[in-house]
Amino acid sequence: MPGIVLRPDDNFDAAYRRFKKQVDRNLIVTEARARRFHETETEKRKKFKIASRKKMLKRLYMMRRYESRL
């Protein structure tokens, strides 16, 4: 769990910035969003397939773009 120790010379903005950095490093917000709604195995597989297809199409696009320069 993130937490910061306030120094006597710290102002609120600096302390808040350090706290936000710790939260980002620990992926707390990302995990909370992921756990917000239950996702079934079918939905996970579907998202995975969509993502893999998207990656493949992007790779193909980049390859064709590179070949056209030659």
Side-chain angles (χ1 to χ4, degrees):
M1 199 62 154
I4 59 168
V5 178
L6 289 177
R7 294 179 227 144
D9 60 335
D10 264 350
N11 62 352
F12 177 77
D13 293 331
Y16 183 62
R17 226 178 296 123
R18 280 192 304 157
F19 178 73
K20 277 180 31 176
K21 268 188 193 177
Q22 279 191 1
V23 167
D24 286 343
R25 280 192 205 121
N26 291 333
L27 300 174
I28 290 175
V29 175
T30 309
E31 189 176 337
R33 284 187 184 142
R35 291 176 182 236
R36 193 171 186 181
F37 301 104
H38 178 71
E39 196 173 73
T40 62
E41 282 298 317
T42 309
E43 291 171 338
K44 288 179 187 176
R45 278 193 302 264
K46 187 177 178 183
K47 280 187 180 181
F48 179 76
K49 281 185 180 181
I50 291 170
S52 61
R53 184 171 189 273
K54 189 175 177 182
K55 283 180 193 174
M56 184 195 59
L57 290 173
K58 183 178 179 183
R59 220 176 283 138
L60 186 63
Y61 168 75
M62 295 301 282
M63 192 170 64
R64 285 184 179 162
R65 189 171 150 204
Y66 175 74
E67 288 174 351
S68 68
R69 291 183 183 177
L70 297 177

